[in-house]
Each structure stands twice: as C-alpha cells, then as structure tokens.
Amino acid sequence: MKRTSIIYTSVKRLIILGLTIIVSISLISGIQFYNKLVSEYTEVASSFIQMASYEIEDNVIKSMTNEQNQELIKNIDMSQYINGTLNLPEESAELCFNWYYYNYLLYELMSYNNDLNSFQIFVPDKDKAMCIWRMDNNTDEIYEPFASRDFKYFEQAIVNTLPSYDEKRLQEYIDSNEFIIENDNNKLSGILLQPILDNDKNIIAYIEVSIDLSGILVAIIQLIIRIAFLTIFIIAFALELYFYFTRREILRPVQQLENATSDVVNKLKNDEEIERLDIHTNDEIENLAHSFEGMEENLRKYIAKNNAITAEREHIKAELNLASNIQSDMLIKTFPPFPDRSEFNIYASMNPAKEVGGDFYDFFLIDDNHLALVIADVSGKGVPASLFMMRSMLTIESLASSTYSPAKILGSLNNMVKKNNDSKMFVTVWLGILDIATGILTAANAGHEFPLIKYPGGKFELYKDKHSFIIGGKSNVTYKEYELKLEPGTCLFVYTDGVPESQNKKEEFFGTDRMLDVLNRCKENNPKETVEYMQEALRDFSDG
C-alpha cells in the first residue's frame, strides 16, 4: 500500500483550506458589495419616485383615469396641439396641456438620471396595466398615451394585494422601498413599484422605476478577482513558510517515530525492549515521543487484560449455552405430546431472540378432562429472563392443580411474582383451560397478544379478548376470563409478539394482517405443518 508523507497531506489540507478561505472571502465581499450597490440604487429610484409624485398633482392623475378623457387624448394629434394649430374646447385643452406638460416634465427628470432604465405611471385595467405616462432610456420608441400591456408576475401580485392593506400597512410598504430584482432577456434590472395615494390615502395609480443592474455584476466580478489574487498571494507565502518549518522541525522527528512504531507489535509479542528515541524539539512532538516510550508498558498491560477478558467471555458464553439448554429442556419438544388422546392435536415451537430468551409455551393435562394451554412473554432477554420464565412456568403448573379458573390462576401468579420482584420484571400470559368433554375453552389474557381462531368451514380471525394487566406489574389485580366453544375441527393459534414484530431488511413489520394472510393461505389442517408454514413465511419475510 502506497503511503503518503505528512508534508504532502498537510500541504494538501492547507490548499483546500486556502481555497475555502478564498471562496468564502470572495462570496462575503461580493454579497456585501452587492447589497451596498443595491441599497444605493434603491435610494436613487426612491428619490426619483418621490420627486415625480411630488410634481404630479392628484387631481391630474385622477382626471387621466377617466375613460372619456383617455379617449379624448388618444384621438388628438399631439403635434398639431403643440404647434398651436389645433383648436380645442377649454376643458379639453386643459386636459391635453396637463398630459403633455407632465409627460415633458417626467422626460426631463429621466434625462438627468442615466441610472434609470424606464419609468411609468399606470393604473390596473382588468388583467392588464394601462400606462398613463411611460418612458424608456434604452429606446427611442415613443409610447402611445394610455397603451395597455401585460402585467409582470410581481406587478400582478402587488396590485392585487396593496388595496387590501389598511393605512398603516400601506405606509409600511411604501417606507420599506422593496427592491425587486428581475432578469429580463438576460438583462438584470432592479424595479421599485410604489402606489400613488390621494389626500384620503386611497390608491389612485402606481409608479414604477426600473434601474439597470448589469454594471453591478461586472463590478462584483472585478472585486472578487482582486480579492482572490490577493488571498492566493498571502496563502502561497504562508505555505512556503509552513513547508520550510515543517521540513526542518517536524519531518525528521516524525520519521523517527515512524521507524520506531513499524515493529513495535513484534517486539511486544517477543517481550523485547523498545529503543529510546532521540527527539528534543521542546514541543508536542517531543511529548509524543515520551508518550510513545511509555506506551510499551500500557500495551503489555492491555494485552494481559484483553486475554483475561477473552477468557471471561468464553466462560460467560459457556454459561449462556448451558442456560439455553436448560430452558430448551423445560419446553415440550415431543409431538404429539399425548399420543393416546385423539380429541385434540397440539404443536408448538420457539426460536429465542438471543442465546436465552424469555418466551415460553406449555400445555399439560390437569386431569383426564381438562387441558391447560399457556403461552407467555417475559420482559427482557438473557439469563434473568430465562430464570423468570422458569419460575413463572412452574408456578402456573402448580396453581392449575387446585383450580380450573384461569383468572384465579393468573391472580395468584401475579401476587407471588410481585412479592419477590426486585428486578422489576414482568410477563404477559395467555392461559386457557379446555374442558375436553364439552369443548368449552375458558381463557384469561394478562396483557398478551390476541389469539387467532378458525372455526370449521371458516378462516382464521383475530379474537380480541378481554385484556387484563400484566403479571408482576402491581399487586391484587382482578383478572377477567371468557369462554369459547370449540367445535370439532376448530383451530386455535397463539403466539408471542416476536411474530408480528418481526422485521425485514426495510425495517417493515410482519404485522397481524400478514400473519392472518399466511395462516389463511395454508391449506394444511395439521398443527405441525401450520406452524412450519408460518416459520417459513417469517424466514422469507426477514430475508426479503
């Protein structure tokens, strides 16, 4: 494997750092410069709007919004009016004079400010903007009075929104001088759009000023180039100094450290002494050399400790295997368990999540006519769960010998477990006692999963029985029981939460619905084949 020198790595990192600094400084400076120029242009546009608004009287703008007045001005030949060859009524003459006078005034204002692209005063006309006055410094085109044009996207939004503002919000918008940046045909422009208000603070028209911002981009690029060249020069000079210092003060002692560490493992294995390092740099590298010299004893201690830990782990593993075997031996694995009884058929299986798990099942004949069925799930895993499981399992079997009531059995079990439960563990239990002669199953559920049942001619369904509190959670719990009539051919499927909560590689749960679907797809009525079919479906799901 090719090795890379420390100097090469350090220089590469410094170059990356330098490029990052260059880009950061350039971007920050460019943004600040851009914001400053935009602020200046905004002030220019705002001043022009204030000047224009001040010069144009409100009543003149209102008169220009009258449709009859607009038609009159449109139909007049302005060249004849200017030459004085057109005789008009006094009112019409005054109207034409006002339009022409302010058109000339605004044109003069525009001519004194080369930063402005265009200027216009318009009023909304349905979905278009009707321009009363409109001028453009970038073209010799003469715009017709009261010509309509399409709204720009931001104009439509502002014109639709501002009339709904109250006086305070409207004034806040005017004072904010919100500058809108537009890229029109690859030309960057800044636009300031303000309402014109009458004396009653009502909007009578809109005034819009556009400023060419193309020069900003050129100025920013020039600034960034200058800053980049200056930063590159400074970083190059710093790199030269760093390289000189590194070669003289760092590389030599680091090479000594590298040579010393190359065979340290072999020397430790052979119990050989490590040579002392001759490094006197009076800095962190000298400290590193001293630390390296002291590392030998620490490594020797670590190796001895690691060997001891490995032996202890092997011992614990052996104990876990033994506990697992004991737990496995406690569960019934011989099927059929009651070969001389033809009234029912039972099969069960368990795959623990760890070497020793807390799930268990049990079934036993209380007498010739009563069969007890148990499935339970102890909180936690490992040896504690296994011991708790064995205790619970033996206690249930002992209590069942004195009563046929699952509720009473669970109540007694709960008090016994709670009394000596310093570990705060608990167990969920489903317990059923079947009257073999009548087919009546009396059951109680202490916080366990719902059983699944299939009656003859039907399909498996979730039986949402009455849940009571878990075993070991609190004392003196009254457990509820219920009865099911199991006709010949009825199938009962009970399980722990490991089945529906099984996950695949996508971290999806197997779920109750998928469990029901698997059971109902199984065509076998034999319990053993049904359980094995479910196990195969769980394996396929987990691998998928």
Side-chain angles (χ1 to χ4, degrees), residues 60 116 125 160 198 204 230 288 303 319 359 391-392 454 542:
V60 173
L116 299 184
D125 182 18
N160 290 341
D198 60 13
I204 58 176
L230 178 61
L288 180 61
I303 291 173
E319 289 185 350
D359 298 358
R391 175 188 173 192
S392 302
K454 181 178 78 168
S542 299

Side-chain angles (χ1 to χ4, degrees), residues 188-434:
L188 194 65
S189 300
I191 297 174
L192 189 62
L193 177 59
Q194 297 276 22
I196 300 176
L197 309 180
D198 60 13
N199 294 331
D200 296 327
K201 303 300 181 180
N202 295 319
I203 300 175
I204 58 176
Y206 295 87
I207 182 169
E208 179 180 304
V209 173
S210 173
I211 295 180
D212 185 8
L213 300 182
S214 301
I216 290 182
L217 295 178
V218 176
I220 290 175
I221 292 173
Q222 292 175 348
L223 175 66
I224 291 176
I225 291 174
R226 293 192 186 99
I227 293 175
F229 274 113
L230 178 61
T231 308
I232 290 172
F233 174 77
I234 294 173
I235 292 177
F237 181 73
L239 281 174
E240 181 64 27
L241 290 178
Y242 172 79
F243 184 80
Y244 173 77
F245 172 78
T246 301
R247 183 173 54 188
R248 189 186 70 178
E249 302 293 335
I250 298 178
L251 182 60
R252 184 186 62 81
V254 168
Q255 286 176 338
Q256 291 186 36
L257 284 171
E258 180 185 4
N259 295 333
T261 56
S262 60
D263 60 345
V264 63
V265 175
N266 292 329
K267 288 188 176 182
L268 286 174
K269 287 182 177 179
N270 299 327
D271 199 21
E272 299 176 3
E273 292 292 330
I274 300 176
E275 297 180 3
R276 298 297 175 184
L277 296 172
D278 183 21
I279 297 177
H280 306 283
T281 57
N282 296 321
D283 57 12
E284 292 83 355
I285 295 181
E286 184 176 349
N287 295 335
L288 180 61
H290 293 321
S291 299
F292 177 79
E293 290 174 347
M295 183 179 64
E296 175 187 5
E297 186 63 27
N298 293 333
L299 284 175
R300 295 183 193 279
K301 292 179 180 179
Y302 173 79
I303 291 173
K305 184 178 180 180
N306 186 63
N307 291 336
I309 292 174
T310 302
E312 180 66 19
R313 286 177 178 172
E314 290 296 326
H315 178 68
I316 293 174
K317 185 176 180 180
E319 289 185 350
L320 288 174
N321 289 334
L322 178 60
S324 178
N325 293 334
I326 294 173
Q327 178 195 15
S328 178
D329 290 341
M330 290 198 65
L331 299 177
I332 299 172
K333 297 189 292 294
T334 301
F335 295 96
F338 311 108
D340 56 338
R341 302 302 295 262
S342 60
E343 302 96 324
F344 54 85
N345 193 359
I346 302 175
Y347 186 79
S349 176
M350 186 190 74
N351 297 307
K354 292 186 177 181
E355 290 88 344
V356 183
D359 298 358
F360 71 89
Y361 62 84
D362 195 13
F363 37 84
F364 52 90
L365 285 169
I366 301 173
D367 54 36
D368 289 341
N369 191 47
H370 291 88
L371 173 68
L373 304 170
V374 184
I375 188 163
D377 185 2
V378 175
S379 61
K381 302 293 179 184
V383 174
S386 177
L387 296 176
F388 199 85
M389 159 246 170
M390 288 187 282
R391 175 188 173 192
S392 302
M393 184 176 176
L394 294 173
T395 304
I396 292 173
E397 188 168 350
S398 175
L399 292 171
S401 64
S402 61
T403 178
Y404 296 143
S405 171
K408 292 181 180 180
I409 295 173
L410 293 183
S412 299
L413 173 66
N414 177 67
N415 290 333
M416 295 174 67
V417 169
K418 179 61 179 176
K419 184 177 180 180
N420 300 301
N421 189 16
D422 296 335
S423 61
K424 306 297 182 183
M425 300 184 73
F426 64 88
V427 57
T428 66
V429 181
W430 181 91
L431 170 61
I433 296 179
L434 175 66

Side-chain angles (χ1 to χ4, degrees), residues 405-525:
S405 171
K408 292 181 180 180
I409 295 173
L410 293 183
S412 299
L413 173 66
N414 177 67
N415 290 333
M416 295 174 67
V417 169
K418 179 61 179 176
K419 184 177 180 180
N420 300 301
N421 189 16
D422 296 335
S423 61
K424 306 297 182 183
M425 300 184 73
F426 64 88
V427 57
T428 66
V429 181
W430 181 91
L431 170 61
I433 296 179
L434 175 66
D435 187 321
I436 300 173
T438 63
I440 294 177
L441 176 72
T442 306
N445 192 330
H448 199 73
E449 302 290 325
F450 293 124
L452 304 176
I453 189 167
K454 181 178 78 168
Y455 289 105
K459 61 180 181 179
F460 276 99
E461 295 179 351
L462 196 68
Y463 185 82
K464 296 186 177 181
D465 55 8
K466 302 173 183 178
H467 270 189
S468 299
F469 201 65
I470 57 176
I471 302 297
K474 60 182 180 179
S475 302
N476 300 322
V477 177
T478 300
Y479 289 88
K480 302 174 183 178
E481 62 185 26
Y482 59 93
E483 291 185 352
L484 291 174
K485 176 65 174 176
L486 304 186
E487 301 290 344
T490 302
C491 295
L492 182 68
F493 186 88
V494 289
Y495 53 95
T496 61
D497 58 7
V499 177
E501 293 179 4
S502 177
Q503 289 183 287
N504 59 15
K505 296 178 181 178
K506 299 179 182 178
E507 297 186 354
E508 297 172 335
F509 289 104
F510 190 73
T512 305
D513 292 340
R514 189 177 279 108
M515 183 171 58
L516 281 168
D517 181 62
V518 170
L519 288 173
N520 287 319
R521 286 203 315 267
C522 180
K523 303 303 182 183
E524 304 296 339
N525 291 323

Side-chain angles (χ1 to χ4, degrees), residues 45 63 113 130 136 174 184 340 353 404 438-439 476 483 529 539:
S63 67
N113 197 327
M130 186 181 66
D136 194 330
I174 295 173
D184 188 12
D340 56 338
Y404 296 143
T438 63
N476 300 322
E483 291 185 352
E529 294 174 348
R539 284 193 296 269

